[in-house]
Amino acid sequence: MLFDDSYKTIVAPIEGFFRDRGSKFLAFGYPIQNEEDVKQYLIALREIHPKANHHCYAYRLGLDRTHFRANDDGEPSGSAGKPILNTLYAHDITNLLVVVVRYFGGTLLGVPGLINAYKVATEEALSQAQIVTKHVRDVYTLTYPYEQMNEVMKVIKAFDLTPQKQQFDNECSLQIEIRKTLLNQVLGKLEKIDALRLDFEGTI
């Protein structure tokens, strides 16, 4: 079976709102690349909503279902973070954090009521999202003698790659992003170029 390197995510931050028996649920969604992004958004929301009773959240990263987290932030176990996460799975969206900020309205909703509230708030936010398809890419820095410039550019043009962080001197360097599905083909061509060095920088 061929590896599929495509995934769906959101373009820009989104918001949603749900109210039940006085409690307000404010949902905030953010496109993310890593767990550091998650920390920064959570810190910012806690500063904006310091008097909220709960900041429940879930996020998903990558293509499989193993890189995720769901947090109930004091709500009954499984009543907040999990419904948010399950909604992300239902929409098949990744590289996304959703935080639902709750202001308690004085009436207990019970676990079924909470599950519904966190799910609906997340759905409301996602209904505002512009969803795009992106591709998992590996980032490499190429270092090579100036004399090999034409050979390198032939490969880049053949696979329609976009050079970044270019530096041209006696020794040249540039950075490229290669789709996972093209990785073996591109690297195979580049490795045939004399005196070229490939340094893996990470996956995005």
Side-chain angles (χ1 to χ4, degrees), residues 124-184:
E124 286 295 318
L126 291 177
S127 72
Q128 306 300 314
Q130 181 185 346
I131 296 171
V132 291
T133 299
K134 292 189 173 183
H135 305 283
V136 180
R137 304 180 302 282
D138 281 354
V139 181
Y140 281 86
T141 296
L142 316 182
T143 308
Y144 52 93
Y146 185 81
E147 295 76 30
Q148 303 291 27
M149 174 78 71
N150 285 342
E151 290 297 311
V152 171
M153 290 304 167
K154 275 184 193 174
V155 176
I156 286 174
K157 188 174 181 181
F159 291 96
D160 197 24
L161 305 175
T162 303
Q164 301 169 1
K165 297 184 181 178
Q166 302 181 64
Q167 183 177 330
F168 300 129
D169 207 331
N170 289 336
E171 184 176 74
C172 304
S173 70
L174 60 82
Q175 200 172 85
I176 54 173
E177 298 172 2
I178 311 169
R179 280 184 61 175
K180 283 283 194 183
T181 48
L182 296 174
L183 196 59
N184 290 339

Coordinates of all heavy atoms in Angstrom, one line a residue, residues 124-184:
E124 N -18.9 23.9 16.8 CA -19.2 25.3 16.4 C -17.9 26.0 15.9 O -18.0 26.7 14.9 CB -19.8 26.0 17.6 CG -21.2 25.7 18.0 CD -22.2 26.1 16.9 OE1 -22.0 27.2 16.3 OE2 -23.1 25.3 16.5
A125 N -16.8 25.8 16.6 CA -15.6 26.4 16.1 C -15.2 25.8 14.8 O -14.8 26.6 13.9 CB -14.5 26.1 17.2
L126 N -15.2 24.5 14.6 CA -14.8 23.9 13.4 C -15.7 24.3 12.2 O -15.2 24.3 11.1 CB -14.8 22.3 13.5 CG -13.7 21.8 14.4 CD1 -13.8 20.3 14.5 CD2 -12.3 22.1 13.9
S127 N -16.9 24.6 12.5 CA -17.8 25.1 11.4 C -17.4 26.4 10.8 O -17.8 26.8 9.7 CB -19.3 25.2 11.9 OG -19.4 26.3 12.8
Q128 N -16.5 27.1 11.5 CA -16.0 28.4 11.0 C -14.6 28.2 10.3 O -14.1 29.2 9.8 CB -15.7 29.4 12.2 CG -17.0 29.6 13.1 CD -18.1 30.1 12.3 OE1 -18.0 31.1 11.6 NE2 -19.3 29.6 12.5
A129 N -14.1 27.0 10.3 CA -12.7 26.8 9.8 C -12.6 26.7 8.3 O -13.5 26.2 7.7 CB -12.2 25.5 10.4
Q130 N -11.5 27.3 7.8 CA -11.1 27.0 6.4 C -10.2 25.9 6.5 O -9.1 26.0 7.1 CB -10.5 28.3 5.8 CG -10.1 28.0 4.3 CD -9.3 29.2 3.8 OE1 -9.3 30.3 4.4 NE2 -8.6 29.0 2.6
I131 N -10.6 24.7 6.0 CA -9.8 23.5 6.0 C -9.0 23.3 4.7 O -9.5 23.5 3.7 CB -10.7 22.3 6.3 CG1 -11.3 22.5 7.7 CG2 -9.9 21.0 6.3 CD1 -12.4 21.5 8.0
V132 N -7.7 23.0 4.9 CA -6.8 22.8 3.7 C -6.2 21.5 3.8 O -6.0 20.9 4.9 CB -5.7 23.9 3.6 CG1 -6.4 25.2 3.2 CG2 -4.9 24.0 4.9
T133 N -5.8 20.9 2.7 CA -5.0 19.7 2.6 C -3.5 20.1 2.5 O -3.1 20.8 1.6 CB -5.4 18.8 1.4 OG1 -6.8 18.4 1.6 CG2 -4.5 17.6 1.4
K134 N -2.7 19.6 3.4 CA -1.2 19.8 3.3 C -0.5 18.5 3.2 O -1.1 17.4 3.2 CB -0.8 20.6 4.6 CG -1.3 22.0 4.6 CD -0.6 22.8 5.8 CE -0.9 24.2 5.7 NZ -0.2 25.0 6.8
H135 N 0.8 18.5 3.1 CA 1.6 17.3 2.9 C 2.7 17.3 3.9 O 3.4 18.3 4.2 CB 2.2 17.3 1.5 CG 1.1 17.3 0.4 ND1 0.3 16.3 0.1 CD2 0.7 18.4 -0.3 CE1 -0.5 16.7 -0.9 NE2 -0.3 18.0 -1.1
V136 N 3.0 16.1 4.5 CA 4.1 15.9 5.4 C 5.4 16.1 4.6 O 5.6 15.5 3.5 CB 4.1 14.6 6.1 CG1 5.3 14.4 7.0 CG2 2.8 14.4 6.8
R137 N 6.3 16.9 5.0 CA 7.6 17.2 4.3 C 8.8 17.0 5.2 O 8.7 17.4 6.4 CB 7.5 18.6 3.7 CG 6.3 18.8 2.8 CD 6.3 20.2 2.2 NE 6.3 21.3 3.2 CZ 5.3 21.7 3.9 NH1 4.1 21.1 3.7 NH2 5.4 22.7 4.7
D138 N 9.8 16.5 4.6 CA 11.1 16.5 5.3 C 12.0 17.6 4.8 O 12.0 17.9 3.6 CB 11.9 15.2 5.0 CG 11.4 14.0 5.9 OD1 10.5 14.2 6.8 OD2 11.8 12.9 5.7
V139 N 12.6 18.3 5.8 CA 13.5 19.4 5.4 C 14.9 19.0 5.4 O 15.4 18.4 6.4 CB 13.3 20.6 6.5 CG1 14.1 21.8 6.1 CG2 11.8 21.0 6.5
Y140 N 15.6 19.4 4.3 CA 17.1 19.1 4.2 C 17.8 20.4 3.8 O 17.3 21.2 3.1 CB 17.3 18.1 3.1 CG 17.0 16.6 3.5 CD1 15.7 16.1 3.4 CD2 18.0 15.8 4.0 CE1 15.5 14.8 3.8 CE2 17.8 14.5 4.4 CZ 16.5 14.0 4.3 OH 16.3 12.7 4.7
T141 N 19.0 20.5 4.3 CA 20.0 21.5 3.9 C 21.0 20.8 3.0 O 21.6 19.8 3.3 CB 20.7 22.2 5.1 OG1 19.7 22.9 5.9 CG2 21.7 23.2 4.6
L142 N 21.1 21.4 1.8 CA 22.1 20.9 0.8 C 23.3 21.8 0.8 O 23.2 23.1 0.8 CB 21.5 20.9 -0.6 CG 20.1 20.4 -0.8 CD1 19.8 20.4 -2.3 CD2 20.0 19.0 -0.3
T143 N 24.5 21.3 0.9 CA 25.8 22.0 0.8 C 26.6 21.4 -0.3 O 26.8 20.2 -0.3 CB 26.5 22.0 2.2 OG1 25.6 22.3 3.2 CG2 27.7 22.9 2.2
Y144 N 27.1 22.3 -1.2 CA 27.8 21.8 -2.4 C 28.7 22.9 -3.0 O 28.5 24.1 -2.8 CB 26.7 21.3 -3.4 CG 25.7 22.4 -3.7 CD1 25.9 23.3 -4.8 CD2 24.6 22.5 -3.0 CE1 25.0 24.3 -5.1 CE2 23.6 23.5 -3.2 CZ 23.8 24.4 -4.3 OH 22.9 25.4 -4.5
P145 N 29.7 22.5 -3.8 CA 30.6 23.4 -4.4 C 29.8 24.2 -5.5 O 28.8 23.7 -6.1 CB 31.6 22.6 -5.1 CG 31.5 21.2 -4.5 CD 30.1 21.1 -4.0
Y146 N 30.2 25.4 -5.8 CA 29.5 26.3 -6.7 C 29.4 25.6 -8.1 O 28.4 25.8 -8.8 CB 30.2 27.6 -6.9 CG 29.5 28.6 -7.8 CD1 28.4 29.4 -7.3 CD2 29.9 28.8 -9.1 CE1 27.8 30.2 -8.1 CE2 29.2 29.7 -9.9 CZ 28.2 30.4 -9.4 OH 27.5 31.3 -10.2
E147 N 30.4 24.8 -8.4 CA 30.5 24.2 -9.7 C 29.3 23.2 -9.9 O 29.0 22.8 -11.1 CB 31.8 23.4 -9.9 CG 33.0 24.3 -10.0 CD 33.4 24.8 -8.6 OE1 33.2 24.1 -7.6 OE2 34.0 25.9 -8.5
Q148 N 28.7 22.7 -8.9 CA 27.6 21.8 -9.0 C 26.2 22.4 -9.0 O 25.2 21.7 -8.9 CB 27.7 20.8 -7.8 CG 29.0 20.0 -7.7 CD 29.2 19.0 -8.8 OE1 28.7 19.2 -9.9 NE2 30.0 18.0 -8.5
M149 N 26.2 23.7 -9.1 CA 24.9 24.5 -9.0 C 23.9 24.0 -10.1 O 22.8 23.7 -9.7 CB 25.2 26.0 -9.3 CG 24.0 26.8 -9.4 SD 23.2 27.2 -7.8 CE 24.5 28.3 -7.2
N150 N 24.4 23.8 -11.3 CA 23.5 23.4 -12.4 C 22.9 22.0 -12.1 O 21.7 21.8 -12.3 CB 24.2 23.4 -13.7 CG 24.4 24.8 -14.3 OD1 23.7 25.7 -13.8 ND2 25.3 24.9 -15.2
E151 N 23.7 21.1 -11.6 CA 23.2 19.7 -11.3 C 22.1 19.8 -10.2 O 21.1 19.1 -10.3 CB 24.4 18.9 -10.8 CG 25.4 18.5 -11.9 CD 24.7 17.7 -13.1 OE1 24.0 16.7 -12.7 OE2 24.8 18.1 -14.2
V152 N 22.4 20.6 -9.2 CA 21.4 20.7 -8.1 C 20.1 21.3 -8.6 O 19.0 20.8 -8.3 CB 22.0 21.6 -6.9 CG1 21.0 21.9 -5.8 CG2 23.2 20.9 -6.3
M153 N 20.2 22.4 -9.3 CA 19.0 23.1 -9.8 C 18.2 22.2 -10.8 O 17.0 22.3 -10.8 CB 19.4 24.4 -10.5 CG 19.9 25.4 -9.5 SD 18.7 25.7 -8.2 CE 19.6 26.7 -7.0
K154 N 18.9 21.3 -11.5 CA 18.1 20.4 -12.4 C 17.2 19.5 -11.5 O 16.0 19.2 -11.9 CB 19.1 19.5 -13.1 CG 19.7 20.1 -14.4 CD 20.6 19.1 -15.1 CE 21.4 19.7 -16.2 NZ 22.4 18.8 -16.8
V155 N 17.7 19.0 -10.4 CA 16.9 18.1 -9.6 C 15.8 18.9 -8.9 O 14.6 18.5 -8.9 CB 17.8 17.5 -8.4 CG1 16.9 16.6 -7.5 CG2 18.9 16.6 -9.1
I156 N 16.1 20.1 -8.5 CA 15.0 20.9 -7.8 C 13.9 21.3 -8.8 O 12.7 21.2 -8.5 CB 15.7 22.2 -7.3 CG1 16.5 21.9 -6.0 CG2 14.6 23.3 -7.0 CD1 17.3 23.0 -5.4
K157 N 14.3 21.6 -10.1 CA 13.3 21.9 -11.1 C 12.5 20.7 -11.5 O 11.3 20.7 -11.7 CB 14.0 22.5 -12.3 CG 13.0 23.0 -13.4 CD 13.8 23.7 -14.5 CE 12.8 24.3 -15.5 NZ 13.5 24.9 -16.6
A158 N 13.2 19.5 -11.6 CA 12.5 18.3 -12.0 C 11.4 17.9 -11.0 O 10.4 17.3 -11.5 CB 13.5 17.1 -12.1
F159 N 11.6 18.2 -9.8 CA 10.6 17.8 -8.8 C 9.8 19.0 -8.2 O 9.1 18.8 -7.3 CB 11.3 17.0 -7.6 CG 11.8 15.7 -8.0 CD1 13.1 15.5 -8.3 CD2 11.0 14.6 -8.0 CE1 13.7 14.3 -8.7 CE2 11.5 13.3 -8.4 CZ 12.8 13.2 -8.7
D160 N 9.9 20.1 -8.9 CA 9.2 21.3 -8.6 C 9.3 21.7 -7.1 O 8.3 22.0 -6.4 CB 7.7 21.1 -8.9 CG 6.9 22.4 -9.0 OD1 7.6 23.5 -9.2 OD2 5.7 22.4 -8.8
L161 N 10.6 21.7 -6.6 CA 10.9 22.0 -5.2 C 11.1 23.5 -5.1 O 11.5 24.1 -6.1 CB 12.1 21.3 -4.7 CG 12.0 19.7 -4.8 CD1 13.3 19.1 -4.4 CD2 10.9 19.2 -4.0
T162 N 10.9 24.1 -3.9 CA 11.1 25.5 -3.7 C 12.3 25.7 -2.8 O 12.3 25.4 -1.6 CB 9.9 26.2 -3.1 OG1 8.8 26.0 -3.9 CG2 10.1 27.7 -3.0
P163 N 13.5 26.2 -3.4 CA 14.7 26.5 -2.5 C 14.4 27.6 -1.5 O 13.7 28.5 -1.8 CB 15.7 26.9 -3.5 CG 15.2 26.6 -4.9 CD 13.7 26.6 -4.8
Q164 N 14.9 27.4 -0.3 CA 14.8 28.4 0.8 C 16.2 28.6 1.4 O 17.0 27.7 1.3 CB 13.8 27.9 1.8 CG 12.4 27.6 1.3 CD 11.5 26.9 2.2 OE1 11.9 26.6 3.3 NE2 10.3 26.6 1.8
K165 N 16.3 29.7 2.1 CA 17.6 30.0 2.8 C 18.8 29.8 1.9 O 19.7 29.1 2.3 CB 17.7 29.2 4.1 CG 16.6 29.5 5.1 CD 16.8 28.7 6.4 CE 15.7 29.0 7.4 NZ 15.9 28.2 8.6
Q166 N 18.8 30.4 0.7 CA 19.9 30.1 -0.2 C 21.1 31.0 0.1 O 21.0 32.1 0.5 CB 19.4 30.4 -1.6 CG 18.2 29.6 -2.1 CD 17.8 29.9 -3.5 OE1 18.5 29.7 -4.4 NE2 16.6 30.5 -3.6
Q167 N 22.3 30.4 -0.1 CA 23.5 31.1 0.1 C 24.5 30.6 -1.0 O 24.8 29.5 -1.1 CB 24.1 30.9 1.5 CG 25.4 31.6 1.7 CD 25.9 31.4 3.2 OE1 25.1 31.2 4.1 NE2 27.2 31.5 3.3
F168 N 24.9 31.6 -1.9 CA 25.8 31.2 -3.0 C 27.2 31.8 -2.8 O 27.3 33.0 -2.6 CB 25.2 31.7 -4.3 CG 23.8 31.1 -4.6 CD1 22.8 31.9 -4.9 CD2 23.6 29.7 -4.5 CE1 21.5 31.3 -5.1 CE2 22.4 29.2 -4.7 CZ 21.3 30.0 -5.1
D169 N 28.2 31.0 -2.8 CA 29.6 31.4 -2.6 C 30.4 30.3 -3.3 O 29.9 29.5 -4.1 CB 29.9 31.6 -1.2 CG 31.1 32.6 -1.0 OD1 31.9 32.7 -1.9 OD2 31.1 33.3 0.1
N170 N 31.7 30.2 -2.9 CA 32.5 29.1 -3.4 C 31.8 27.8 -2.9 O 31.8 26.8 -3.7 CB 33.9 29.1 -2.9 CG 34.7 30.3 -3.5 OD1 34.3 30.7 -4.7 ND2 35.7 30.8 -2.9
E171 N 31.3 27.8 -1.7 CA 30.5 26.7 -1.2 C 29.1 27.2 -1.1 O 28.9 28.2 -0.4 CB 31.0 26.2 0.1 CG 30.2 24.9 0.6 CD 30.8 24.3 1.9 OE1 30.6 25.0 3.0 OE2 31.4 23.3 1.8
C172 N 28.1 26.6 -1.7 CA 26.7 27.0 -1.7 C 25.9 26.2 -0.7 O 26.2 25.0 -0.4 CB 26.1 26.9 -3.1 SG 27.1 27.8 -4.3
S173 N 24.8 26.7 -0.2 CA 23.9 26.0 0.6 C 22.5 26.5 0.3 O 22.3 27.6 0.0 CB 24.2 26.1 2.1 OG 23.9 27.4 2.5
L174 N 21.5 25.6 0.4 CA 20.1 25.9 0.4 C 19.3 24.9 1.1 O 19.8 23.8 1.3 CB 19.6 26.1 -1.1 CG 19.7 25.0 -2.1 CD1 18.6 24.0 -1.9 CD2 19.8 25.5 -3.5
Q175 N 18.1 25.3 1.5 CA 17.2 24.4 2.2 C 16.0 24.0 1.3 O 15.5 24.9 0.6 CB 16.7 25.0 3.5 CG 16.2 24.1 4.5 CD 16.0 24.8 5.8 OE1 14.9 25.4 6.0 NE2 16.9 24.7 6.7
I176 N 15.6 22.8 1.3 CA 14.4 22.4 0.6 C 13.5 21.5 1.4 O 14.0 20.9 2.4 CB 14.8 21.6 -0.7 CG1 15.7 20.4 -0.4 CG2 15.5 22.4 -1.7 CD1 16.0 19.4 -1.5
E177 N 12.2 21.5 1.1 CA 11.2 20.7 1.7 C 10.8 19.6 0.7 O 10.4 20.0 -0.4 CB 10.0 21.5 2.2 CG 10.4 22.6 3.2 CD 9.3 23.5 3.5 OE1 8.2 23.3 2.9 OE2 9.4 24.5 4.3
I178 N 10.9 18.4 1.1 CA 10.5 17.3 0.2 C 9.4 16.5 0.7 O 9.4 16.0 1.9 CB 11.8 16.3 0.0 CG1 13.0 17.1 -0.3 CG2 11.5 15.3 -1.1 CD1 14.3 16.3 -0.2
R179 N 8.3 16.3 -0.1 CA 7.2 15.5 0.3 C 7.6 14.1 0.6 O 8.5 13.5 -0.1 CB 6.1 15.5 -0.8 CG 5.2 16.7 -0.8 CD 4.2 16.6 -1.9 NE 3.3 15.4 -1.7 CZ 2.2 15.1 -2.4 NH1 1.9 15.9 -3.4 NH2 1.5 14.1 -2.1
K180 N 7.0 13.5 1.6 CA 7.4 12.1 2.0 C 7.3 11.1 0.8 O 8.2 10.3 0.7 CB 6.5 11.6 3.1 CG 6.9 12.2 4.5 CD 8.1 11.5 5.1 CE 8.2 11.8 6.6 NZ 9.4 11.2 7.2
T181 N 6.3 11.3 0.0 CA 6.1 10.4 -1.1 C 7.2 10.5 -2.2 O 7.3 9.6 -3.0 CB 4.7 10.5 -1.7 OG1 4.5 11.9 -2.0 CG2 3.6 10.0 -0.8
L182 N 7.9 11.6 -2.2 CA 8.9 11.9 -3.2 C 10.3 11.7 -2.7 O 11.3 11.8 -3.4 CB 8.8 13.3 -3.8 CG 7.5 13.6 -4.6 CD1 7.5 15.1 -5.0 CD2 7.4 12.7 -5.8
L183 N 10.4 11.4 -1.4 CA 11.7 11.5 -0.7 C 12.8 10.6 -1.3 O 13.9 11.0 -1.6 CB 11.5 11.1 0.8 CG 12.6 11.4 1.8 CD1 12.9 12.9 1.8 CD2 12.3 10.9 3.2
N184 N 12.5 9.3 -1.5 CA 13.5 8.4 -2.0 C 13.9 8.8 -3.4 O 15.1 8.7 -3.8 CB 12.9 7.0 -2.1 CG 12.8 6.4 -0.7 OD1 13.4 6.9 0.3 ND2 11.9 5.4 -0.5

